[in-house]
């Protein structure tokens, strides 16, 4: 006797036990294939009396609808299980290894970002300079004692041509071309006759800033420097200004910040010396300005806790790979 | 400048202790480079009296010395002379730290020595002293630290070049006096002059180089060792004590910051002349060296010849020694320029030279002379002549100060009374000309004060920078977003290709220059070493050094780049030399074996990939051509051309360079003028909406045929719908292909107006095959 309920029970039981795609396929064929039990049952309905036909027909159609779906679901479930084994999600993915910027470049771009948003335009200048731009125009005439602070590399056979000892010549070159308001920054290399050791290098990088306009005072200098330091080192950093000396600024100051319990000198700054303004044809009675300069290596050393300046030019991959973007 | 705390207190009442004084110095902009408590480690130093001296039983040059201390007796083994019963000595007991180390009990040939009887050298008060130091007028109660003046602190101060006045105690005292609102105690300098003493005539021949010269004679002096207090102060200040006369000149140098010189008057020939040296004039200096002078040097001379290089060093022939009885004391002002040139030309940095170089005080010579004469008379006896003072007297300086201007510089309202009060304490005097405008008289000591900005600086220096508030001016036209520059875009692309950014030093060797450049080398006059003697004309030497170092350190794959400046030996526009930006890259080593990639030696195509990435990303047409004149640094190189101009080079590094770099694997580099990389303004082009069809063909070519040649051949034929030609496989096999190579080329077809029919594409592919066959390249079947 063809009993749909019995068939359903059996189907359910078999399906529950099935654990592979093959078994499920077998079940599908067994029940829903061309010669499957349900298919045949549906085909042979017409042999039943009308009443019976209705009842069994409805039942068989219901089973068909329910279990065909169930089989699909079960199949996917088993496939997913087998896929779980196929993709070892702990294995490495394929990706293209990207290099990193040099840490000094990060600091450089960060500085450019901060000062660009204050309206500073970045300008360039030569590394091999004349005595005039590096010294004389900056109020450091020949035999000025301040020249001692700059142990200078000279070009062979040229007493007046040298490797710039600071980025300040860019101040002169800029103000020769541009009249106030002048608001410029420059980042580049400078050179001193200093053999390599942990804290000295014959070539290092400086950032120079210059702002000349009517009514610029030490108050503006302080505001700008404080803004910069807080952007770079965080809002809570302690900062102090101490008197210092540079021939091309007056008053001059050195700025220190408190980092890991120690006061670290970070930059030199001051109000542009009237003689410097006069040298580029700007009237110091009308205009005033401030300038500042700092070593990028020094900032990177403080920020990243690097103890040896030589690491910046050694280019050891074990070092370069420590500074992701 | 070395400064002793207690000595400084002789000139000003310091209200802070030695440690707190550091803060004050720092506040005033005087950097304290080092602070040393002299008594550190010396607490075990004791005063003792020798009770007994016995011979050492085993070693005849040693003695056993029993020394009575305040609290017991000590046994010392010593080889020093002069150890007699009843003499007082200082003994370093166990644990005392002397310059050469900690004192311990030790066994000297079987006898235990419980301490060291100290010499001045042991105390760090002499360079060399073989004998034990015998203190005078002491008892067992005497504290050695007090006697030696070791309850003191030594500062090493960094004096900025604008403050030569701080190279003397009185200058420093003046700064502190203003800070503490105290007075400077100028040491007594009055001296009794004897009218009967003749002073030789003084003649200044070069008044620019020597505007002022004063001289005095002191007769009947007795030259001997200086008293301990004087020798000690000099020694701790870094000046070796010599004799009472010489030591006094140095003492006054430290007090007033003004150098003096004492000649043995009896060794002088009649007159004193200040003149330029003659060319090749020889001079035997006090340091025992002979110098050859020229017209750049200023000398003090007598009739016979130079007796001193002015302001720098005295002469051996006229030096004061133990037989000297009459002294000529020089106190002069020499021009900083002339002294600088002398110091640099002769490489002779003396205490005197340093001070004249920085600019001395032209008003001080008579005072310094009187002070020294007085001290000489005190310490060496003698009678002092009148002062001969030749030349200028030094000018008083006045400047105009507008208080409003000081406020403008600082950005804060300056308190007029405070300002005037402060400067009066510093010895400035203010005379009001108009309301708020003053004529200010500057003390001659302060050579650095020239105008209002200096006054503003002094005000800030004393009042502190905290009085200034902050103002941040952001202009209206400031861009909120920062445009990244072109260099950043280039770097970003190269980084994305797996290259690491490097920054190399701008110095290379001549050899490296010749390997990678044809420009004239820019040589440094004073290089640190031969391998840092040339300004780099190429980034490759530095990049190769870095690359090779990383390979030697065991990195498998080394891919580096630098975007930096090189220096060409020709004049630039408004610059001494032409400076240009270059982009260079380096590959060397093996690609690492990973799950998805086999290990392989990196080669030419890796470095070429950098150029391909650039041309692809920035849409630049670079063409390549085998270099006709390969640089010595390359084994093989290809020129990079843009618009028919050579803009760079790619190649394999030569054998000798590899040897220099200690490398055993080939490495490849590229260098490109960064100016050739332009970011083009892009224009939209209509693109095809129809699918493209790809067909691969394989052809046989004689081995060694360049793919570029085949590609050019096909391109020139202008095959319809052909959009791109790509080499996708290169296959060689001696057995099956002989001396032929198989190229598999992928052809991509596309139409702007319709979906291409397969038969249409076949027709075009056949055209390509026919064309290749005509040129002798058969299809591989």
């Amino acid at each position: 006797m063809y009993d749909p309920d019995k068939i359903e029970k059996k189907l359910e039981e078999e399906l529950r036990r099935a654990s592979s795609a093959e078994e499920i396929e077998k079940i599908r064929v067994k029940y829903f294939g061309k010669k499957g039990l349900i298919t045949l049952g549906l085909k042979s309905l017409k042999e039943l009396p009308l009443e019976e036909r209705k009842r069994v027909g409805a039942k068989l159609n219901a089973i068909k609808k329910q279990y065909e779906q169930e089989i699909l679901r079960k199949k996917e479930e088993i496939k997913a299980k087998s896929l779980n084994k196929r993709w070892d999600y702990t294995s490495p993915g394929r990706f293209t290894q990207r290099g990193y910027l040099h840490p000094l470049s990060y600091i450089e771009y960060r500085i450019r970002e901060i000062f660009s948003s204050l309206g500073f335009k970045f300008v360039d200048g030569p590394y091999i300079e004349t005595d005039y731009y590096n010294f004389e125009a900056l109020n450091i005439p020949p035999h000025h004692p301040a020249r001692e602070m700059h142990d200078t590399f000279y070009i062979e056979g040229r007493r007046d041509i040298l490797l710039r000892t600071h980025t300040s010549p860019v101040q002169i070159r800029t103000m020769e071309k541009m009249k106030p308001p002048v608001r410029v920054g420059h980042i580049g290399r400078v050179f001193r006759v200093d053999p390599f050791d942990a804290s000295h290098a014959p070539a290092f990088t400086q950032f120079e800033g210059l702002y000349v306009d009517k009514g610029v005072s030490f108050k503006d200098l302080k505001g700008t420097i404080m803004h910069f330091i807080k952007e770079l080192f965080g809002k809570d950093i302690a900062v102090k200004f101490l008197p210092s000396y540079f021939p091309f600024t007056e008053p001059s100051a050195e700025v220190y910040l408190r980092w890991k319990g120690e006061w670290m000198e970070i930059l030199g700054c001051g109000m542009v010396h009237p003689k410097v303004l006069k040298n580029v044809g700007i009237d110091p009675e009308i205009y005033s300005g401030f300038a500042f300069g700092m070593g990028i290596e020094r900032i990177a050393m403080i920020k990243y806790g690097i103890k040896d300046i030589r690491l910046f030019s050694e280019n050891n991959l074990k070092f370069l790979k420590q500074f992701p973007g | 400048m070395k400064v002793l705390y207690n000595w400084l207190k002789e000139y000003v009442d310091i209200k802070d202790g030695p440690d707190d004084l550091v803060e004050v110095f720092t506040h005033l902009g005087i950097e304290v480079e080092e602070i040393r408590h002299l008594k550190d480690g010396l607490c075990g130093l004791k005063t003792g009296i020798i009770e007994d001296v016995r011979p050492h039983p085993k070693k005849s040059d040693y003695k056993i010395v029993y020394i009575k201390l305040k609290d017991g007796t000590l046994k010392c083994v010593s080889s020093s002379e002069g150890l007699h019963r009843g003499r007082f000595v200082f003994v370093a007991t166990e644990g005392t730290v002397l310059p050469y180390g900690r004192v311990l009990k030790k066994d000297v040939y079987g006898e235990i020595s419980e301490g060291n009887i100290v010499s001045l050298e042991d105390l760090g008060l002499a360079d060399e002293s073989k004998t034990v130091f015998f203190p005078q007028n002491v008892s067992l109660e005497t504290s050695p630290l007090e006697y030696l003046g070791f309850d003191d602190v030594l500062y090493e101060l960094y004096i900025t070049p604008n403050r030569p006045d701080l190279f003397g105690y009185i200058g420093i005292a003046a700064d502190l006096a203003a800070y503490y609102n105290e007075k400077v105690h100028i040491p007594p300098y009055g001296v009794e002059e004897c009218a009967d003493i003749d002073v030789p005539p003084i003649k200044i021949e070069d008044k620019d180089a020597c505007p002022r010269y004063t001289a005095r004679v002191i007769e009947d002096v007795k030259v001997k060792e200086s008293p301990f207090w004087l020798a000690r102060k000099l020694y701790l200040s870094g000046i070796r004590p010599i004799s009472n006369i010489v030591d006094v000149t140095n003492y006054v140098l430290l007090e007033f910051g003004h150098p003096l010189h004492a000649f043995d008057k009896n060794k002088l020939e009649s007159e004193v002349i200040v003149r330029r040296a003659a060319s090749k004039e020889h001079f035997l200096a006090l340091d025992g060296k002979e110098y050859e002078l020229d017209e750049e040097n200023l000398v003090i001379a007598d009739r016979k010849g130079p007796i001193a290089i002015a302001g720098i060093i005295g002469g051996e022939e006229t030096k004061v020694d133990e037989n000297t009885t009459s002294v000529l004391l020089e106190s002069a002002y020499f021009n900083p320029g002339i002294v600088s040139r002398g110091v640099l030309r002769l490489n002779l940095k003396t205490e005197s030279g340093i001070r004249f170089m920085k600019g001395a005080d032209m008003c001080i010579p008579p005072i310094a002379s009187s002070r020294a004469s007085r001290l000489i008379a005190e310490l060496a006896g003698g009678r002092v002549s009148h002062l001969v003072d030749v030349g200028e007297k030094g000018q008083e300086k006045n400047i105009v100060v507008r208080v409003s201007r000081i406020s403008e510089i600082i950005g804060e309202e300056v308190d007029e009374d405070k300002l005037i009060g402060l400067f009066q304490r510093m010895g400035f005097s203010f005379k009001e000309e108009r309301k708020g405008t003053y004529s200010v008289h500057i003390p001659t000591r302060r050579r650095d004060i020239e105008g209002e900005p200096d006054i503003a600086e002094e005000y800030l220096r004393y009042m502190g920078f905290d009085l200034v508030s902050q103002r941040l001016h952001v202009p209206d036209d400031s861009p909120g977003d920062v445009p990244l520059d072109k260099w950043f875009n280039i770097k970003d692309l190269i980084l994305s290709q797996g290259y690491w950014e490097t920054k190399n030093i701008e110095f290379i060797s001549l050899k490296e220059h010749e390997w990678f450049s044809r420009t004239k080398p820019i040589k440094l006059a004073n290089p640190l070493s031969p391998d840092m003697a040339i300004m780099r004309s190429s980034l490759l030497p530095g990049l190769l050094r870095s690359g090779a170092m990383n390979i030697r350190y065991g990195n498998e794959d080394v891919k580096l780049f630098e975007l930096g400046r090189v220096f060409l030996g020709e004049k630039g526009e408004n610059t001494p030399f032409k400076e240009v930006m270059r982009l260079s890259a380096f590959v060397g080593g093996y690609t690492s074996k990973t799950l998805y990639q086999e290990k392989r030696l990196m080669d030419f195509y890796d470095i070429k990939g950098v150029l391909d990435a650039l041309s692809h990303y920035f849409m630049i047409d670079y063409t390549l051509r085998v270099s006709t004149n390969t640089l010595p640094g390359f084994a093989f190189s290809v020129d990079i051309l843009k618009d028919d101009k050579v803009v760079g080079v790619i190649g394999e590094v030569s054998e000798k360079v590899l040897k220099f770099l200690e490398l055993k694997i080939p490495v490849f580099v590229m260098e490109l003028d960064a100016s050739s990389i332009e970011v083009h303004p892009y224009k939209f082009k209509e693109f095809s909406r129809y699918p493209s069809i790809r067909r691969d063909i394989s052809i046989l070519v004689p081995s060694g045929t360049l793919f570029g040649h085949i590609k050019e051949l096909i391109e020139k034929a202008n095959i319809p719908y052909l959009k791109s030609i790509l080499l996708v496989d290169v296959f060689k096999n001696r057995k099956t292909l002989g001396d032929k190579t198989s190229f598999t080329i992928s052809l991509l077809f596309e139409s702007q107006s319709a979906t291409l029919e397969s038969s249409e594409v076949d027709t075009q592919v056949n055209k390509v095959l026919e064309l290749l066959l005509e040129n002798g390249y058969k299809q591989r079947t």
Side-chain angles (χ1 to χ4, degrees):
Chain A
M1 179 58 212
Y2 191 85
D3 182 349
D5 294 328
K6 240 183 183 167
I7 291 174
E8 189 189 357
K9 229 178 185 171
K10 219 166 159 226
L11 170 59
E12 194 195 345
E13 173 72 17
E14 280 174 38
L15 211 49
R16 195 165 49 77
R17 284 193 188 161
S19 62
S20 71
E22 291 78 38
E23 283 173 84
I24 294 178
E25 182 59 14
K26 267 185 198 160
I27 296 166
R28 190 189 67 79
V29 172
K30 183 177 168 187
Y31 292 92
F32 302 106
K34 269 186 187 164
K35 288 176 182 167
L37 289 172
I38 306 289
T39 317
L40 290 177
L42 281 166
K43 273 186 185 164
S44 57
L45 277 179
K46 53 186 182 292
E47 291 159 24
L48 296 176
L50 186 67
E51 194 105 322
E52 188 73 355
R53 193 192 301 173
K54 267 190 186 163
R55 189 185 64 80
V56 176
K59 178 74 189 171
L60 286 177
N61 274 317
I63 294 174
K64 186 176 162 140
K65 198 178 162 195
Q66 184 190 342
Y67 284 92
E68 269 183 349
Q69 273 199 8
E70 177 65 19
I71 281 168
L72 264 179
R73 194 193 61 73
K74 187 97 187 189
K75 264 188 181 171
E76 299 230 320
E77 188 185 296
I78 283 169
K79 193 175 167 193
K81 257 188 199 160
S82 73
L83 282 184
N84 271 355
K85 281 180 200 150
R86 199 160 126 203
W87 303 120
D88 175 359
Y89 60 90
T90 61
S91 280
R94 292 189 184 97
F95 79 107
T96 311
Q97 170 70 67
R98 211 189 128 97
Y100 296 162
L101 280 175
H102 191 280
L104 294 180
S105 292
Y106 285 118
I107 304 283
E108 177 183 335
Y109 284 114
R110 188 77 189 99
I111 289 174
R112 292 173 78 120
E113 200 173 45
I114 296 166
F115 278 93
S116 294
S117 68
L118 294 179
F120 282 69
K121 302 267 180 297
F122 278 76
V123 294
D124 200 9
Y127 293 2
I128 305 180
E129 263 296 5
T130 60
D131 186 278
Y132 176 77
Y133 284 108
N134 196 71
F135 290 125
E136 281 220 62
L138 288 160
N139 194 26
I140 316 173
H143 303 295
H144 190 286
R147 289 203 180 200
E148 261 186 66
M149 288 156 77
H150 300 239
D151 240 332
T152 312
F153 282 113
Y154 286 90
I155 300 301
E156 197 178 85
R158 302 288 301 271
R159 286 185 89 167
D160 56 331
I161 308 292
L162 45 85
L163 303 190
R164 64 176 192 186
T165 55
H166 50 175
T167 41
S168 304
V170 173
Q171 288 185 28
I172 304 299
R173 287 184 175 269
T174 303
M175 288 190 288
E176 278 180 349
K177 279 178 274 185
M178 201 191 277
K179 292 304 149 203
V182 172
R183 203 182 285 113
V184 293
H186 168 72
I187 296 177
R189 288 281 218 186
V190 302
F191 304 87
R192 304 271 172 97
V193 187
D194 257 336
F196 270 116
D197 66 28
S199 48
H200 296 91
F204 55 100
T205 319
Q206 267 188 355
F207 164 45
E208 182 91 11
L210 173 71
Y211 179 17
V212 179
D213 204 349
K214 284 180 185 159
V216 177
S217 71
F218 203 94
K219 180 154 92 173
D220 300 291
L221 167 60
K222 204 172 162 187
T224 306
I225 297 293
M226 292 300 286
H227 171 76
F228 163 67
I229 290 176
K230 294 196 167 185
E231 284 284 313
L232 199 63
F233 290 97
K235 291 264 173 281
D236 301 323
I237 192 95
V239 180
K240 73 176 176 188
F241 284 64
L242 286 175
S244 187
Y245 168 70
F246 307 103
F248 38 94
T249 52
E250 187 86 34
S252 305
E254 258 163 12
V255 180
Y256 288 72
L257 52 84
R258 202 166 172 80
W259 190 255
K260 301 204 167 120
E262 248 183 281
W263 285 107
M264 313 276 258
E265 183 194 333
I266 182 159
L267 63 86
C269 60
M271 302 303 294
V272 180
H273 200 290
K275 283 186 189 166
V276 173
L277 292 176
K278 274 187 201 151
N279 285 342
V280 293
I282 293 175
D283 185 350
E285 280 294 310
I286 301 172
Y287 294 102
S288 57
F290 64 75
F292 53 88
M294 67 194 85
I296 305 284
E297 282 84 356
R298 184 156 179 83
I299 292 177
M301 286 168 91
I302 294 173
K303 205 169 156 65
Y304 298 128
I306 296 166
K307 297 272 183 288
D308 193 332
I309 196 169
R310 287 170 291 202
L311 288 167
F312 295 110
S313 51
E314 189 194 17
N315 298 309
N316 194 322
L317 279 167
K318 285 178 185 160
F319 175 73
L320 297 175
K321 289 183 176 181
Q322 290 187 27
F323 305 94
Chain B
M1 169 90 183
K2 289 186 163 72
V3 172
L4 286 160
Y5 177 80
N6 284 337
W7 188 5
L8 189 56
K9 275 182 101 164
E10 293 177 23
Y11 307 105
V12 62
D13 287 335
I14 300 171
K15 291 171 184 165
D16 289 297
D19 290 314
D20 291 338
L21 186 60
V22 173
E23 291 297 312
V24 177
F25 278 137
T26 307
H27 176 87
L28 293 176
I30 302 169
E31 192 188 330
V32 180
E33 293 183 317
E34 207 190 312
I35 168 169
R36 187 157 73 85
H37 292 261
L38 297 179
K39 66 178 174 191
D40 281 355
L42 294 179
C43 290
L45 206 57
K46 293 188 173 153
T47 310
I49 184 163
I50 299 174
E51 277 194 325
D52 196 7
V53 183
R54 292 183 204 162
H56 190 290
K58 288 185 191 143
K59 290 296 255 184
S60 60
D61 42 353
Y62 280 97
K63 289 175 276 284
I64 294 163
V65 189
Y66 291 91
I67 298 162
K68 185 173 184 247
L69 306 176
K70 197 172 78 181
D71 49 2
T73 304
L74 210 64
K75 175 183 167 190
C76 296
V77 182
S78 171
S79 61
S80 290
E81 299 296 319
L83 298 171
H84 305 302
R85 187 184 150 82
R87 291 196 92 163
F88 279 96
V89 289
F90 290 144
V91 188
T93 59
E94 197 180 1
T96 308
V97 183
L98 296 178
Y100 50 78
R102 187 177 288 271
V103 175
L104 299 168
K105 268 189 195 160
K106 60 178 186 225
D107 185 318
V108 185
Y109 299 102
E111 295 291 332
I112 299 296
S113 181
E114 296 173 320
N116 292 10
I117 307 169
V118 299
S119 66
L120 282 182
E121 188 184 356
D122 293 336
L123 294 166
L125 285 175
D127 294 338
E128 237 176 73
S129 83
K130 295 267 175 292
T131 54
V132 157
F133 178 66
F134 298 108
Q136 310 290 316
N137 307 322
V138 291
S139 73
L140 288 183
E141 299 297 321
T142 304
S143 149
L145 293 179
E146 215 167 276
Y147 182 93
L148 293 165
F150 274 9
D151 202 6
D152 203 349
V153 166
L154 184 69
Y155 304 98
E156 180 76 60
L157 303 181
Y158 173 74
I159 307 298
T160 54
N162 60 324
R163 293 298 304 274
D165 60 307
L166 298 181
F167 274 103
Y169 274 80
I170 291 170
I172 298 170
D175 259 27
L176 292 177
Y179 180 82
Y180 288 121
N181 201 2
E182 288 288 338
K183 286 225 153 41
V184 180
H185 312 308
I186 302 287
Y189 57 83
V191 65
E192 195 183 319
E193 292 177 355
C194 304
D196 62 323
I197 303 171
D198 285 336
V199 178
I202 311 288
K203 211 165 98 195
I204 304 175
E205 284 187 2
D206 188 335
K207 290 203 161 69
D208 288 330
C210 175
R212 187 174 199 179
Y213 195 98
T214 78
R216 228 190 254 281
V217 170
I218 305 151
E219 285 192 338
D220 306 329
V221 294
K222 221 180 162 133
V223 179
K224 57 186 177 195
E225 212 175 70
S226 288
F228 178 75
W229 64 265
L230 173 53
R232 170 193 160 274
K233 278 176 171 172
L234 289 187
Y235 191 82
L236 289 172
S237 305
I239 297 175
R240 201 157 52 88
I242 292 168
S243 66
N244 52 1
I245 306 284
V246 177
D247 292 352
V248 163
T249 61
N250 283 327
Y251 189 77
V252 174
L253 168 134
L254 292 174
E255 275 190 321
F256 285 90
H258 191 82
L260 304 165
H261 187 69
F263 300 97
D264 183 332
K265 192 198 152 234
N266 295 334
K267 293 176 186 162
L268 292 178
E269 288 283 318
S270 65
E271 64 177 347
V272 174
I273 311 157
V274 186
R275 62 163 169 88
R276 294 291 183 120
S279 175
K280 305 218 160 125
E281 192 161 13
H282 280 252
F283 174 67
L284 183 62
L286 273 172
D287 59 2
K289 288 184 195 145
E290 180 145 335
Y291 292 91
E292 191 184 287
L293 310 176
D294 66 16
E295 296 89 341
E296 289 275 276
N297 295 111
L298 188 73
V299 294
I300 315 300
D302 63 4
R303 283 225 187 122
K304 275 192 300 189
I307 54 173
I309 305 173
I312 302 175
I313 196 166
E316 182 68 22
E317 283 172 23
T318 53
K319 82 167 177 190
V320 171
D321 58 29
E322 63 273 22
N323 300 319
T324 301
T325 55
S326 179
V327 165
L328 179 94
L329 184 67
E330 164 197 295
S331 180
Y333 176 89
F334 301 110
N335 185 297
I338 192 109
V339 178
S340 286
R341 279 196 293 273
V343 165
L344 297 177
R345 213 187 72 82
L346 305 171
N347 193 18
L348 192 57
K349 248 187 179 177
T350 57
E351 291 287 338
S352 168
I354 288 169
R355 284 171 174 80
F356 280 121
M357 268 170 87
K358 291 178 194 296
D361 178 354
M362 212 194 286
C363 297
I364 206 86
I367 298 170
S369 174
S370 297
R371 169 69 176 153
S373 305
R374 182 185 172 110
L375 283 171
I376 289 173
E378 268 174 30
L379 300 177
R383 302 184 309 122
V384 181
S385 79
H386 67 285
L387 183 78
V388 176
D389 188 352
V390 184
E392 295 174 36
K393 299 288 173 266
Q395 277 182 2
E396 303 283 309
K397 197 161 63 177
N398 288 288
I399 58 168
V400 174
V401 174
R402 293 161 293 175
V403 178
S404 60
R405 184 68 180 161
I406 307 300
S407 301
E408 278 166 27
I409 294 170
I410 295 172
E412 300 289 343
E413 210 53 52
V414 164
D415 186 313
E416 203 164 321
D417 293 337
K418 267 194 193 161
L419 179 83
I420 294 169
L422 168 69
F423 280 88
Q424 278 171 344
R425 292 209 296 279
M426 286 194 275
F428 292 62
S429 58
F430 277 60
K431 205 175 101 205
E432 186 156 31
E433 302 222 310
R434 292 184 298 282
K435 176 135 187 59
T437 300
Y438 294 85
S439 168
V440 179
H441 175 78
I442 297 162
T444 60
R445 176 174 67 78
R446 295 302 302 271
R447 278 89 81 193
D448 59 311
I449 305 286
E450 291 174 334
E452 287 160 331
D454 304 286
I455 300 293
E457 176 168 272
E458 288 300 294
Y459 186 77
L460 286 177
R461 194 161 75 91
Y462 279 94
M463 299 303 185
F465 289 92
D466 287 345
L467 73 88
V468 187
S469 60
Q470 298 171 32
R471 183 167 66 189
L472 183 63
H473 177 67
V474 183
D476 301 335
D477 60 350
S478 134
D481 228 8
V482 184
L484 289 171
D485 67 350
K486 169 182 157 183
W487 304 136
F488 182 83
N489 280 329
I490 296 172
K491 280 186 191 176
D492 194 49
L493 173 69
I494 311 300
L495 292 174
S496 74
Q497 303 302 306
Y499 286 77
W500 302 85
E501 191 194 8
T502 66
K503 286 184 187 283
N504 293 284
I505 273 304
E506 282 81 350
F507 306 134
I508 61 174
S509 70
L510 187 59
K511 185 167 67 179
E512 289 170 308
H513 167 83
E514 283 163 356
W515 283 343
F516 292 104
S517 309
R518 286 199 187 86
T519 54
K520 206 170 152 244
I522 304 172
K523 296 180 179 169
L524 296 179
N526 50 340
L528 283 172
S529 66
D531 65 341
M532 306 212 292
I534 308 288
M535 289 309 282
R536 67 179 181 189
S537 45
S538 161
L539 302 178
L540 297 178
L543 206 51
L544 281 163
R545 285 192 205 180
S546 292
M549 179 269 296
N550 277 299
I551 291 173
R552 289 198 308 266
Y553 271 120
N555 286 283
E556 269 199 325
D557 57 327
V558 179
K559 293 164 78 179
L560 307 174
F561 81 97
E562 179 169 12
L563 179 63
R565 192 179 297 225
V566 301
F567 308 85
L568 308 179
E570 54 190 276
K571 210 190 158 324
E573 195 188 324
N574 301 323
T575 59
F577 289 98
K578 199 170 171 187
E579 303 183 6
V580 297
M581 291 296 280
R582 293 260 178 91
L583 171 69
S584 294
F586 168 99
V587 288
Y590 295 85
T591 58
S592 311
K593 162 99 183 76
T594 69
L595 197 51
Y596 313 111
Q597 171 188 279
E598 289 306 313
K599 177 173 175 168
R600 66 169 177 82
L601 193 60
M602 288 195 286
D603 60 22
F604 180 81
Y605 302 111
D606 288 283
I607 195 76
K608 199 197 162 192
V610 177
L611 188 70
D612 287 351
L614 284 166
S615 19
H616 177 77
Y617 190 81
F618 294 109
M619 295 195 183
I620 308 167
D621 277 326
Y622 287 119
T623 51
L624 297 178
R625 191 177 64 193
V626 174
S627 307
T628 43
N629 189 7
T630 304
L631 284 161
F634 288 105
F636 162 74
S637 75
V638 183
D639 290 337
I640 305 169
L641 290 92
K642 191 191 162 203
D643 305 327
D644 295 324
K645 247 183 67 196
V646 176
V647 292
V649 64
I650 302 189
E652 179 173 349
V653 168
S654 70
E655 207 52 52
K656 66 179 161 222
V657 177
L658 291 180
K659 213 173 149 196
F660 165 77
L661 297 169
E662 297 168 45
L663 287 180
K664 293 191 174 64
I665 50 166
V667 297
F668 301 84
V669 290
M670 179 201 91
E671 182 154 64
L672 188 62
D673 275 329
S675 64
S676 76
I677 308 167
E678 293 160 48
V679 183
H680 288 288
Y682 298 120
K683 228 177 141 186
F684 170 72
K685 271 182 257 154
E686 215 43 73
F687 56 90
S688 169
R689 291 273 177 192
Y690 303 96
S692 45
I693 293 179
R694 174 180 158 163
R695 291 292 167 82
D696 289 1
I697 58 169
S698 291
I699 55 161
L700 291 171
V701 300
S703 294
T705 304
L706 297 175
F707 168 67
H709 173 69
I710 307 288
K711 188 179 175 191
E712 200 183 316
L713 204 63
I714 304 173
E715 274 171 350
K716 276 193 178 153
N718 278 323
I719 306 287
Y721 309 123
L722 181 57
K723 201 159 177 277
S724 73
I725 306 159
L726 213 65
L727 181 64
V728 295
D729 193 39
V730 178
F731 179 71
K732 287 178 197 182
N733 188 321
R734 278 237 146 247
K735 265 189 201 154
T736 57
L737 299 180
D739 59 355
K740 294 268 164 71
T741 297
S742 160
F743 281 166
T744 302
I745 300 167
S746 176
L747 304 169
L748 198 74
F749 295 91
E750 196 181 88
S751 162
Q752 290 290 332
S753 54
T755 301
L756 283 175
E757 295 290 328
S758 184
S759 58
E760 181 60 41
V761 173
D762 288 344
T763 312
Q764 304 308 337
V765 172
N766 283 334
K767 272 193 205 162
V768 173
L769 288 169
E770 272 165 38
L771 171 78
L772 292 172
L773 191 62
E774 275 166 30
N775 285 276
Y777 307 120
K778 271 194 229 160
Q779 186 173 13
R780 180 178 164 221
T781 44

